[in-house]
Amino acid sequence: MTTSSELNMPEIAMAEKEAGKWGMVIDQDICTGCQACVAACAMENNIAFVGEEDSGYGRAMHWIRIERFWEGEYPEVKMTNQQPMMCQQCGSAPCEPVCPAFATVHSMAESLNLQVYNRCVGTRYCANNCPYQVRAFNWRDYKRPEPLPNQLNPDVTVRRVGVMEKCTFCIQRIFKAQDQAKAEGREVMDGEFTTACAQACPASAIVFGRVDDPQSLVSQLKERSGGKTHLKELGTLPNVTYFNGG
Amino acid sequence: MSEQFSRRDFLKLAGLGAATTAVLTGCGPASRYVTREPYQEMPEYNYVGQSTYYATTCRECAAGCGLVVRTYQGRAIKTEGNASHPLNLGKTCARGQATLHGLYNPDRVQGPSNGDWDAAIQLVADALKNNKPDEIAFLMGMAPDHLFDLVTDMANATGMNAPVRYGALGMFEARATLSKAAEALFGQAGLPFFDVGGAQVVLSFGANFLETWLSPVSYTRGFAGLREAKTKMRGKLIQFEARMSATGGKADEWIPLRPGTEALVALAIGRLAAEIRGGSMPRAFSSVDPLDVAARSGIKLEALEHIAEMVAHSSGVLAIPGGAALGQSNGQAVAEAVLALNAFADNLGKPGGVYLSALAPSQSDYSRPASAREMQEFVEKMASGAFKVLFVHGVNPVFELPASLGFKDALGSVEQVISFATFPDETAAEADFVFPDHHGLESWGYQRVVTGTSLPVLSGAQPVVSPYYNTRATADVLIAAAQIAGGAFAEALPYTDEVEFLQTKVSALMNEADGSFSALDAATFMAYFQQHGGWWKNTDSRLAPASSILNSNIDAAEAEFAGEGEFFLVPFVSPTLAEAGANKPWLQELPDPTTTVMWNTWVEINPETAHELGIESDDVVRVISEVGEVEAAVYLYPAIRPDTIAIPFGQGHTAYGRYAENRGANPANLLSVHFNASGDLAFAGMKVKVEKTGVKRPLSRLEGLGVYGGEGIELH
């Protein structure tokens, strides 16, 4: 594999040295593909359901999806380890420079890729440029018949037609924990809060936390051998590390 | 305390003074627990910008996982697992997450079908009073347990028929067979507990323990323990089944055996392993011939020998019999053969082995849901007119029972059918009256945890929000009706309401030692019970069974199959929808873990077989059994035997709200009435025909195969 420094791309090589802030480690060996994370994400983040036809056209709004691939043919057929795929919160994100409205911007403070819904004009350039295919576009104003809106999370904006959306690493939970810690005059503790997907995961296959803190659980898990980030050769510097067991 | 006095502190103190004037109103059940408080001290659920969290118990299946529900200004926003609950340790499954889509479902039953609760209670009272006790029957679901206890108390005191419990999950898990096998082997009925987390090699005979089986959240945690290599080697999962389940998809080795040969394969592995280990051959394994088994099961002899090698040499071997293996004519033999493997591995009552699950607190005997044969007897009684009035709660038998059992027709022979359904399901549609119960998140109650943890657990439920519609707790309806009916009924239920009944039952635990908390008075105990989401003991109470199974003969006949078709039928419970999830839109939009299909039913066929039959992906086929037929689109499934087809159970509703109705097909319509020796339905013992219909109907799926014009995510 060619690294970015070998490709003589100094700006990316520089970025590569910068650690992100928040990150995830996903153990595919114990992920069972049960979809608890997908449901938890939808409930936490007010994600609309689109119905049978639109989901058939690939318009389902999953911010996280479980990929599975087939290897071999019957009877030697094997289902590969399930791969939860969500926004990788790239350190050098391909979605960001293509947005004409600065709706897809980088948060320097949190090292996250933000999506500012009220700036988004729906060009979908970001989704086209995302190598991980994790952005979801509101093709319609998807209806939630009464009284379903009672369930909506007041901490998360409800998106309307023409707006792009994606996984935010549950930024509302990040801010809530930081506000709470600040009010109590302390730092946010590791494990004090987590994302909806990691919280639900019955196998604890998803672990979330500070990757810039070497003491955090996620940093320690990340240091094990065998971890990989997806499409590393593109120089996107993802903050999600996958382990495939074996 | 500092000299300075903040505005906030002032308000707090002022509130305290005012609170002493709080009045406890006493105007009947609904307002009995409402405390009037002054304006300065808003109820905790009404602080602007602040959420409150309530512990309760998930009602999406009967496992009894603890939940903590985030509420905000009286609305339930998010469910999370209760981190201190011994069964799920803060985790949930997808159905637990989506339970809010049940609570705020647009198609709930919004009030009693006769419009007036007083009249409804009078009607129930008349039904109790004007019929002989043995003409009154209750059919209940596998949850909640407190209502079952209440009706049981009522039945014991009045001579009314004891309540019968049923659930499709129990049928697909073949719980009667599992319990009967435990009884035969260990001298005690109960549910075996398989310690997957502590094992090193797990042989699963079709057990879908990562999907819906018994207690999926707990078993998934066990699976993670099996795979993790912290203190031991990474463990292996070997799955034997004709169609790769989501659990089988995680297996290190997936062995597609011929349906019906599970018992033979288990015994052959035992025999080969015993030969490798040397010494005398256990009698249980002595009758099988591995070469013959290899031919019959379609597994190569080398593969059997390779697995036997692992069984003989590894420590921590664990064998699990799943529902599909037990739900066959020889299910009893399968259970015995698989448990004999465990006895051979010498894991009974040891870490990584088989235990008998701990009984819940205050439970003296294990009670299992009715088997299909017991349901058949129930239906026969209904049809004969023996029941004048039937109450149904927490189960949807018209959908969940095989149509061939004739439940729907038999309903016509019961004079009065009263449903307590929360949703307008198929059974409620056939009932004379629907008196809706609250949703689980609006309800009081408790649930016994029957398996999945080493501790005896009574999981507590409390309302996290006030009822959204004009519904009423079924326990309250029954208590009020019993008072009106008088006599033995009133004596059996001498309570003001459901909460008093609960307090009576729960506070009986106060005197038990070794609990997760204790209290000196009943009110405090009950408050802790609500706050903690239940009460449990602190010591491992699983039983370590002893067994002489290795020295007994096991009749390892192959299973018999009903029907004329050329395909084995594998009906399996949808891992995301299970039996009652189809009315929740976000569960519908979850891709199936193996096929990634959303919002519909599919038929899984091996691609080679389909090619021979001229069937393509998304072609609608008609599947015909000896008792019925269903139509659904084909999914070319690469991990299924060429002689087998599979259909998920969970869709095919004719009622049950807009998201479920007229969507997909119900494979229960294909099941004919054959039982195994324990009375469980031989649902995995059907042969079916497949016919083309000439219609094509694309399935909505996450993976992109070009069916919807090639859009979507490519080539997963």
Side-chain angles (χ1 to χ4, degrees):
Chain A
M1 199 177 293
T2 324
T3 66
S4 49
S5 48
E6 287 167 63
L7 286 171
N8 196 19
M9 293 165 73
E11 68 281 12
I12 293 179
M14 201 158 64
E16 213 162 15
K17 287 184 194 125
E18 289 172 16
K21 185 174 177 184
W22 302 101
M24 260 182 203
V25 163
I26 294 177
D27 190 343
Q28 291 176 250
D29 198 31
I30 56 175
C31 169
T32 67
C34 72
Q35 309 285 335
C37 53
V38 183
C41 176
M43 294 294 139
E44 172 73 17
N45 291 302
N46 300 338
I47 303 177
F49 51 90
V50 304
E52 182 171 17
E53 193 182 346
D54 273 347
S55 66
Y57 281 112
R59 295 171 189 163
M61 307 286 289
H62 306 109
W63 286 8
I64 176 171
R65 63 171 186 269
I66 314 275
E67 298 179 344
R68 64 100 187 85
F69 303 86
W70 294 108
E71 272 176 8
E73 287 196 5
Y74 182 88
E76 304 300 326
V77 62
K78 175 124 185 69
M79 194 187 287
T80 58
N81 271 335
Q82 280 79 357
Q83 182 165 289
M85 181 55 69
M86 75 297 279
C87 175
Q88 307 285 298
Q89 305 290 352
C90 303
S92 174
C95 56
E96 287 166 0
V98 295
C99 180
F102 297 101
T104 306
V105 290
H106 206 74
S107 160
M108 292 305 169
E110 302 300 330
S111 287
L112 293 177
N113 310 119
L114 305 181
Q115 179 70 23
V116 186
Y117 302 127
N118 55 0
R119 285 185 194 164
C120 179
V121 294
T123 64
R124 298 187 281 126
Y125 291 172
C126 55
N128 282 336
N129 225 28
C130 173
Y132 305 101
Q133 297 260 11
V134 290
R135 290 176 160 266
F137 186 66
N138 285 272
W139 288 95
R140 303 176 204 281
D141 259 336
Y142 293 106
K143 295 283 178 288
R144 295 177 179 86
E146 287 293 335
L148 273 175
N150 280 287
Q151 181 269 325
L152 292 175
N153 184 352
D155 302 334
V156 179
T157 310
V158 176
R159 287 80 57 186
R160 294 201 55 191
V161 63
V163 171
M164 188 64 71
E165 59 185 71
K166 64 154 193 104
C167 162
T168 63
F169 267 11
C170 286
I171 196 166
Q172 67 281 6
R173 291 187 175 205
I174 295 178
F175 284 154
K176 196 167 253 186
Q178 285 178 343
D179 286 351
Q180 184 72 25
K182 197 176 169 193
E184 292 169 13
R186 59 175 175 82
E187 292 289 306
V188 176
M189 291 176 287
D190 187 40
E192 183 179 335
F193 78 102
T194 188
T195 56
C197 52
Q199 187 169 11
C201 180
S204 303
I206 305 177
V207 177
F208 170 83
R210 290 285 290 263
V211 286
D212 57 350
D213 170 11
Q215 301 301 315
S216 70
L217 178 62
V218 70
S219 296
Q220 286 172 9
L221 290 173
K222 205 177 151 184
E223 287 311 308
R224 291 176 302 169
S225 64
K228 66 163 188 184
T229 51
H230 281 294
L231 303 176
K232 194 183 174 198
E233 59 277 20
L234 298 178
T236 52
L237 306 179
N239 273 314
V240 183
T241 308
Y242 289 81
F243 286 82
N244 212 344
Chain B
M1 203 177 162
S2 78
E3 296 282 316
Q4 286 178 340
F5 208 71
S6 72
R7 179 174 174 274
R8 179 175 293 217
D9 284 340
F10 171 75
L11 285 177
K12 264 188 194 163
L13 275 178
L16 247 176
T20 51
T21 60
V23 195
L24 198 69
T25 59
C27 341
S31 55
R32 194 164 153 251
Y33 302 93
V34 176
T35 314
R36 291 197 197 284
E37 288 179 336
Y39 178 74
Q40 299 95 305
E41 190 141 301
M42 299 289 270
E44 58 179 1
Y45 52 82
N46 214 15
Y47 287 138
V48 173
Q50 243 184 62
S51 294
T52 37
Y53 298 80
Y54 296 97
T56 188
T57 297
C58 184
R59 193 83 81 71
E60 294 302 314
C61 80
C65 292
L67 295 181
V68 171
V69 183
R70 176 188 173 202
T71 70
Y72 182 80
Q73 301 197 329
R75 294 176 289 127
I77 301 294
K78 182 75 170 47
T79 52
E80 305 292 0
N82 180 350
S84 59
H85 196 283
L87 180 62
N88 58 321
L89 300 178
K91 300 303 186 178
T92 58
C93 67
R95 284 173 288 145
Q97 287 292 335
T99 185
L100 296 168
H101 273 193
L103 174 64
Y104 294 124
N105 195 286
D107 299 312
R108 277 180 60 177
V109 184
Q110 304 192 0
S113 59
N114 61 351
D116 175 9
W117 275 112
D118 288 338
I121 289 167
Q122 185 64 48
L123 200 133
V124 173
D126 290 343
L128 294 176
K129 196 167 56 182
N130 299 342
N131 293 296
K132 292 194 203 109
D134 64 353
E135 293 169 344
I136 306 169
F138 268 87
L139 181 58
M140 309 181 79
M142 284 152 66
D145 278 332
H146 77 289
L147 188 66
F148 176 73
D149 290 354
L150 185 136
V151 177
T152 305
D153 285 357
M154 196 155 91
N156 287 342
T158 60
M160 195 177 84
N161 289 294
V164 170
R165 307 184 93 173
Y166 173 80
L169 284 183
M171 180 184 90
F172 281 109
E173 286 155 0
R175 286 205 187 188
T177 314
L178 210 53
S179 161
K180 192 70 72 70
E183 196 174 353
L185 298 176
F186 309 135
Q188 197 174 344
L191 278 180
F193 175 89
F194 300 93
D195 183 10
V196 175
Q200 205 58 57
V201 177
V202 174
L203 308 180
S204 159
F205 291 83
N208 53 341
F209 62 88
L210 300 177
E211 299 158 58
T212 55
W213 196 67
L214 297 179
S215 191
V217 174
S218 155
Y219 271 102
T220 304
R221 183 173 72 243
F223 171 76
L226 171 78
R227 279 280 170 90
E228 270 164 358
K230 277 181 191 152
T231 54
K232 58 178 185 64
M233 301 259 289
R234 175 183 178 278
K236 275 192 164 184
L237 171 62
I238 300 163
Q239 185 92 357
F240 300 87
E241 58 192 2
R243 171 252 169 201
M244 188 187 278
S245 62
T247 310
K250 288 308 290 179
D252 298 273
E253 291 179 38
W254 175 69
I255 318 273
L257 49 58
R258 188 170 186 272
T261 61
E262 288 85 352
L264 286 168
V265 170
L267 294 177
I269 290 172
R271 182 181 178 110
L272 290 167
E275 280 169 6
I276 294 168
R277 214 187 260 177
S280 65
M281 176 62 59
R283 194 195 287 181
F285 301 145
S286 58
S287 64
V288 290
D289 170 13
L291 202 61
D292 175 49
V293 172
R296 289 212 229 172
S297 65
I299 307 176
K300 288 195 186 102
L301 187 61
E302 300 85 73
L304 288 175
E305 284 169 345
H306 154 73
I307 294 162
E309 193 85 27
M310 272 196 277
V311 171
H313 293 311
S314 339
S315 59
V317 174
L318 176 65
I320 311 179
L326 301 180
Q328 307 190 70
S329 64
N330 67 343
Q332 197 78 44
V334 175
E336 286 170 13
V338 171
L339 290 169
L341 266 184
N342 287 308
F344 176 75
D346 192 23
N347 68 17
L348 303 183
K350 295 182 182 162
V354 183
Y355 297 83
L356 212 56
S357 299
L359 288 175
S362 75
Q363 195 183 19
S364 50
D365 295 304
Y366 169 70
S367 87
R368 61 168 173 80
S371 66
R373 186 158 59 202
E374 286 156 352
M375 283 311 297
Q376 187 188 37
E377 287 159 15
F378 191 85
V379 171
E380 277 166 8
K381 275 192 187 168
M382 283 167 64
S384 70
F387 299 147
K388 294 274 186 287
V389 54
L390 172 68
F391 295 99
V392 185
H393 183 279
V395 63
N396 180 10
V398 173
F399 177 78
E400 294 182 44
L401 276 172
S404 54
L405 269 178
F407 184 90
K408 193 174 170 181
D409 292 339
L411 274 178
S413 309
V414 181
E415 278 178 19
Q416 199 171 35
V417 179
I418 297 174
S419 164
F420 297 111
T422 305
F423 300 103
D425 60 30
E426 287 85 348
T427 311
E430 299 291 321
D432 299 299
F433 297 98
V434 184
F435 300 144
D437 195 356
H438 303 315
H439 184 265
L441 293 181
E442 301 164 338
S443 299
W444 295 93
Y446 57 71
Q447 182 74 9
R448 284 183 275 269
V449 173
V450 289
T451 188
T453 171
S454 57
L455 313 177
V457 179
L458 186 68
S459 195
Q462 63 175 328
V464 305
V465 288
S466 46
Y468 196 82
Y469 290 116
N470 184 22
T471 54
R472 194 165 289 195
T474 301
D476 277 338
V477 172
L478 292 178
I479 288 170
Q483 302 300 335
I484 296 173
F489 286 104
E491 280 166 35
L493 303 178
Y495 311 106
T496 322
D497 56 19
E498 181 179 34
V499 177
E500 195 189 341
F501 167 76
L502 271 182
Q503 276 169 344
T504 313
K505 291 283 176 187
V506 170
S507 59
L509 297 171
M510 265 173 68
N511 302 322
E512 296 218 21
D514 193 31
S516 53
F517 58 81
S518 56
L520 291 173
D521 65 288
T524 313
F525 192 84
M526 191 64 194
Y528 281 156
F529 185 76
Q530 287 166 233
Q531 185 185 359
H532 293 246
W535 185 90
W536 42 90
K537 292 200 173 188
N538 290 324
T539 36
D540 186 344
S541 307
R542 291 173 299 182
L543 299 176
S547 170
S548 56
I549 179 83
L550 282 177
N551 298 321
S552 55
N553 287 317
I554 297 175
D555 173 23
E558 257 183 78
E560 288 159 17
F561 286 83
E564 295 295 304
E566 62 273 47
F567 290 102
F568 295 107
L569 172 71
V570 176
F572 63 99
V573 181
S574 160
T576 47
L577 296 177
E579 85 286 20
N583 64 341
K584 297 164 192 83
W586 251 110
L587 285 184
Q588 287 278 10
E589 198 147 306
L590 293 182
D592 175 74
T594 51
T595 61
T596 80
V597 173
M598 298 170 266
W599 290 98
N600 219 313
T601 302
W602 62 93
V603 180
E604 292 173 11
I605 300 184
N606 185 295
E608 288 293 318
T609 312
H611 184 71
E612 281 163 26
L613 297 174
I615 296 172
E616 292 176 357
S617 183
D618 295 326
D619 281 355
V620 175
V621 293
R622 192 177 297 118
V623 178
I624 304 162
S625 77
E626 60 178 5
V627 292
E629 55 181 64
V630 300
E631 287 183 12
V634 163
Y635 183 95
L636 299 182
Y637 196 64
I640 188 168
R641 283 175 63 89
D643 58 1
T644 304
I645 66 163
I647 308 177
F649 170 80
Q651 304 267 26
H653 283 277
T654 53
Y656 205 41
R658 70 190 74 178
Y659 300 111
E661 211 169 314
N662 302 325
R663 181 178 292 290
N666 186 0
N669 295 341
L670 294 174
L671 303 179
S672 56
V673 182
H674 299 278
F675 305 112
N676 69 15
S678 307
D680 271 320
L681 191 77
F683 67 87
M686 308 280 150
K687 293 205 89 172
V688 292
K689 284 187 211 135
V690 173
E691 276 178 9
K692 288 193 275 189
T693 61
V695 180
K696 209 173 180 79
R697 197 176 57 219
L699 290 165
S700 164
R701 42 183 121 189
L702 183 73
E703 61 178 5
L705 287 178
V707 285
Y708 266 75
E711 291 190 39
I713 303 154
E714 286 172 34
L715 295 176
H716 292 150

Coordinates of all heavy atoms in Angstrom, one line a residue, chain B residues 130-172:
Chain B
N130 N -71.8 -14.6 35.3 CA -72.9 -15.3 34.7 C -72.5 -16.6 34.0 O -73.3 -17.3 33.5 CB -73.6 -14.4 33.7 CG -74.2 -13.2 34.3 OD1 -74.3 -13.1 35.5 ND2 -74.4 -12.2 33.5
N131 N -71.2 -17.0 34.1 CA -70.8 -18.2 33.5 C -70.3 -19.1 34.6 O -69.8 -18.6 35.6 CB -69.7 -18.0 32.4 CG -70.3 -17.3 31.2 OD1 -71.2 -17.8 30.5 ND2 -69.8 -16.1 31.0
K132 N -70.3 -20.4 34.4 CA -69.7 -21.3 35.4 C -68.2 -21.1 35.3 O -67.7 -20.8 34.2 CB -70.0 -22.8 35.0 CG -71.5 -23.1 35.2 CD -71.6 -24.6 35.2 CE -73.1 -25.0 34.8 NZ -73.2 -25.6 33.5
P133 N -67.5 -21.2 36.4 CA -66.0 -21.0 36.4 C -65.3 -21.8 35.3 O -64.4 -21.3 34.6 CB -65.6 -21.4 37.8 CG -66.8 -21.2 38.6 CD -68.0 -21.5 37.8
D134 N -65.7 -23.0 35.1 CA -65.0 -23.8 34.1 C -65.4 -23.5 32.7 O -64.9 -24.1 31.7 CB -65.1 -25.3 34.4 CG -66.6 -25.8 34.2 OD1 -67.5 -24.9 34.0 OD2 -66.8 -27.0 34.3
E135 N -66.3 -22.5 32.5 CA -66.6 -22.1 31.1 C -65.8 -20.8 30.8 O -66.0 -20.2 29.7 CB -68.1 -21.8 31.0 CG -68.9 -23.0 31.1 CD -70.4 -22.7 31.3 OE1 -70.8 -21.6 31.6 OE2 -71.2 -23.6 31.0
I136 N -65.0 -20.3 31.7 CA -64.2 -19.1 31.5 C -62.8 -19.5 31.2 O -62.2 -20.3 32.0 CB -64.3 -18.2 32.7 CG1 -65.7 -17.9 33.1 CG2 -63.5 -16.9 32.5 CD1 -65.9 -17.3 34.4
A137 N -62.2 -19.0 30.1 CA -60.8 -19.3 29.8 C -60.0 -18.1 29.5 O -60.5 -17.1 29.0 CB -60.8 -20.2 28.6
F138 N -58.8 -18.1 29.9 CA -57.8 -17.0 29.7 C -56.7 -17.6 28.8 O -56.1 -18.6 29.0 CB -57.2 -16.5 31.0 CG -57.9 -15.4 31.6 CD1 -59.0 -15.6 32.5 CD2 -57.5 -14.1 31.3 CE1 -59.6 -14.6 33.0 CE2 -58.2 -13.0 31.9 CZ -59.3 -13.3 32.8
L139 N -56.4 -16.8 27.7 CA -55.3 -17.2 26.9 C -54.3 -16.0 26.9 O -54.7 -14.9 26.6 CB -55.7 -17.4 25.4 CG -54.6 -17.8 24.4 CD1 -53.8 -19.1 24.9 CD2 -55.1 -18.1 23.1
M140 N -53.1 -16.2 27.4 CA -52.2 -15.1 27.6 C -50.9 -15.3 26.9 O -50.5 -16.4 26.6 CB -51.9 -15.0 29.2 CG -53.2 -14.9 29.9 SD -53.0 -14.7 31.7 CE -52.6 -13.0 31.8
G141 N -50.1 -14.2 26.8 CA -48.8 -14.2 26.1 C -47.8 -14.6 27.2 O -48.1 -14.8 28.3
M142 N -46.5 -14.7 26.7 CA -45.4 -15.1 27.6 C -45.0 -13.9 28.5 O -44.2 -14.1 29.4 CB -44.3 -15.6 26.8 CG -44.6 -17.0 26.2 SD -43.7 -17.4 24.7 CE -42.0 -17.4 25.2
A143 N -45.5 -12.7 28.3 CA -45.3 -11.6 29.2 C -46.6 -10.9 29.3 O -47.4 -10.9 28.3 CB -44.2 -10.7 28.6
P144 N -46.9 -10.2 30.4 CA -46.1 -10.0 31.6 C -46.5 -11.1 32.6 O -47.6 -11.6 32.6 CB -46.5 -8.6 32.1 CG -47.9 -8.5 31.6 CD -48.1 -9.3 30.4
D145 N -45.6 -11.3 33.5 CA -45.8 -12.4 34.5 C -46.8 -12.0 35.6 O -47.5 -12.8 36.2 CB -44.5 -12.8 35.2 CG -43.7 -13.8 34.3 OD1 -44.4 -14.5 33.5 OD2 -42.5 -13.8 34.3
H146 N -46.8 -10.7 36.0 CA -47.6 -10.3 37.1 C -49.1 -10.5 36.8 O -49.9 -10.9 37.6 CB -47.4 -8.8 37.5 CG -48.0 -7.8 36.6 ND1 -47.6 -7.6 35.3 CD2 -49.1 -7.0 36.8 CE1 -48.4 -6.6 34.8 NE2 -49.3 -6.3 35.6
L147 N -49.5 -10.3 35.5 CA -50.9 -10.4 35.2 C -51.2 -11.9 35.2 O -52.3 -12.4 35.6 CB -51.1 -9.8 33.8 CG -52.6 -9.8 33.4 CD1 -53.4 -8.9 34.3 CD2 -52.8 -9.3 31.9
F148 N -50.2 -12.7 34.7 CA -50.4 -14.2 34.7 C -50.6 -14.7 36.2 O -51.5 -15.5 36.4 CB -49.2 -14.9 34.1 CG -49.2 -16.4 34.1 CD1 -50.1 -17.1 33.3 CD2 -48.4 -17.1 35.0 CE1 -50.1 -18.4 33.4 CE2 -48.5 -18.4 35.1 CZ -49.3 -19.1 34.2
D149 N -49.9 -14.1 37.1 CA -50.0 -14.5 38.5 C -51.4 -14.1 39.0 O -52.0 -14.8 39.8 CB -48.9 -13.8 39.3 CG -47.5 -14.4 39.1 OD1 -47.5 -15.4 38.3 OD2 -46.5 -13.9 39.6
L150 N -51.8 -12.9 38.6 CA -53.1 -12.4 39.1 C -54.2 -13.3 38.6 O -55.1 -13.7 39.4 CB -53.3 -11.0 38.6 CG -54.6 -10.2 39.1 CD1 -54.3 -8.8 39.5 CD2 -55.7 -10.2 38.0
V151 N -54.2 -13.7 37.3 CA -55.2 -14.5 36.8 C -55.1 -15.9 37.4 O -56.1 -16.6 37.6 CB -55.1 -14.6 35.2 CG1 -56.2 -15.5 34.7 CG2 -55.3 -13.2 34.7
T152 N -53.9 -16.4 37.6 CA -53.7 -17.7 38.3 C -54.3 -17.7 39.7 O -55.0 -18.6 40.1 CB -52.2 -18.0 38.4 OG1 -51.7 -18.0 37.1 CG2 -52.0 -19.4 38.9
D153 N -54.1 -16.6 40.4 CA -54.7 -16.5 41.8 C -56.2 -16.6 41.6 O -56.9 -17.3 42.4 CB -54.3 -15.1 42.4 CG -52.9 -15.1 42.9 OD1 -52.2 -16.2 42.8 OD2 -52.5 -14.1 43.4
M154 N -56.7 -15.9 40.6 CA -58.2 -15.8 40.4 C -58.7 -17.3 40.1 O -59.7 -17.7 40.6 CB -58.5 -14.9 39.3 CG -59.9 -14.5 39.2 SD -60.1 -12.9 38.4 CE -60.3 -13.3 36.7
A155 N -57.9 -17.9 39.2 CA -58.4 -19.3 38.8 C -58.3 -20.2 40.0 O -59.2 -21.1 40.2 CB -57.5 -19.8 37.7
N156 N -57.3 -20.2 40.8 CA -57.1 -21.1 41.9 C -58.3 -20.9 42.9 O -58.7 -21.9 43.5 CB -55.8 -20.8 42.7 CG -54.6 -21.3 41.8 OD1 -54.8 -22.2 40.9 ND2 -53.4 -20.9 42.1
A157 N -58.7 -19.6 43.1 CA -59.7 -19.4 44.1 C -61.1 -19.7 43.6 O -62.0 -20.0 44.4 CB -59.7 -17.9 44.5
T158 N -61.3 -19.6 42.3 CA -62.7 -19.7 41.8 C -63.0 -21.0 41.0 O -64.2 -21.3 40.7 CB -63.0 -18.6 40.9 OG1 -62.1 -18.6 39.8 CG2 -62.9 -17.2 41.6
G159 N -62.0 -21.8 40.7 CA -62.2 -23.0 39.9 C -62.3 -22.7 38.4 O -62.6 -23.5 37.6
M160 N -62.0 -21.4 38.1 CA -61.9 -21.1 36.7 C -60.8 -21.8 36.0 O -59.9 -22.2 36.7 CB -61.7 -19.6 36.7 CG -61.8 -18.8 35.4 SD -61.5 -17.0 35.8 CE -59.8 -17.0 35.6
N161 N -60.8 -22.0 34.7 CA -59.7 -22.6 34.0 C -58.4 -21.9 34.3 O -58.4 -20.7 34.2 CB -60.0 -22.7 32.5 CG -61.1 -23.6 32.1 OD1 -60.9 -24.8 32.3 ND2 -62.2 -23.1 31.7
A162 N -57.3 -22.6 34.5 CA -56.0 -22.0 34.7 C -55.7 -21.3 33.4 O -55.9 -21.8 32.3 CB -55.0 -23.0 35.1
P163 N -55.0 -20.1 33.5 CA -54.7 -19.4 32.3 C -53.7 -20.2 31.4 O -52.8 -20.8 32.0 CB -54.1 -18.1 32.8 CG -53.7 -18.4 34.2 CD -54.6 -19.4 34.7
V164 N -53.8 -20.2 30.1 CA -52.9 -20.9 29.2 C -52.0 -19.8 28.6 O -52.5 -18.8 28.2 CB -53.7 -21.7 28.2 CG1 -52.8 -22.2 27.1 CG2 -54.4 -22.8 28.8
R165 N -50.7 -20.0 28.5 CA -49.8 -19.1 27.9 C -49.3 -19.7 26.6 O -49.0 -20.8 26.5 CB -48.6 -18.8 28.8 CG -49.0 -18.3 30.1 CD -47.8 -18.0 30.9 NE -47.6 -16.5 30.8 CZ -46.7 -15.9 31.5 NH1 -45.8 -16.5 32.3 NH2 -46.5 -14.6 31.4
Y166 N -49.1 -18.8 25.6 CA -48.6 -19.2 24.3 C -47.9 -18.1 23.7 O -48.2 -16.9 23.9 CB -49.7 -19.7 23.4 CG -49.2 -20.0 22.0 CD1 -48.5 -21.2 21.8 CD2 -49.3 -19.1 21.0 CE1 -48.0 -21.5 20.5 CE2 -48.8 -19.4 19.7 CZ -48.2 -20.6 19.5 OH -47.6 -20.8 18.2
G167 N -46.9 -18.4 22.9 CA -46.2 -17.4 22.0 C -45.5 -18.0 20.9 O -44.9 -19.2 21.1
A168 N -45.5 -17.4 19.7 CA -44.9 -18.1 18.6 C -43.4 -18.3 18.8 O -42.8 -19.3 18.4 CB -45.0 -17.2 17.3
L169 N -42.7 -17.4 19.6 CA -41.3 -17.6 19.8 C -41.1 -18.9 20.6 O -40.2 -19.6 20.3 CB -40.7 -16.4 20.6 CG -40.5 -15.1 19.8 CD1 -39.8 -14.1 20.7 CD2 -39.5 -15.4 18.6
G170 N -42.0 -19.1 21.6 CA -41.9 -20.4 22.4 C -42.0 -21.6 21.5 O -41.4 -22.6 21.6
M171 N -42.9 -21.5 20.5 CA -43.1 -22.6 19.5 C -41.9 -22.8 18.7 O -41.4 -23.9 18.5 CB -44.3 -22.3 18.6 CG -44.6 -23.4 17.6 SD -46.0 -22.9 16.5 CE -45.1 -22.2 15.2
F172 N -41.3 -21.7 18.2 CA -40.1 -21.9 17.3 C -38.9 -22.2 18.1 O -37.9 -22.7 17.5 CB -39.9 -20.6 16.5 CG -40.8 -20.4 15.3 CD1 -41.8 -19.5 15.3 CD2 -40.7 -21.3 14.2 CE1 -42.7 -19.4 14.2 CE2 -41.5 -21.2 13.1 CZ -42.5 -20.2 13.1

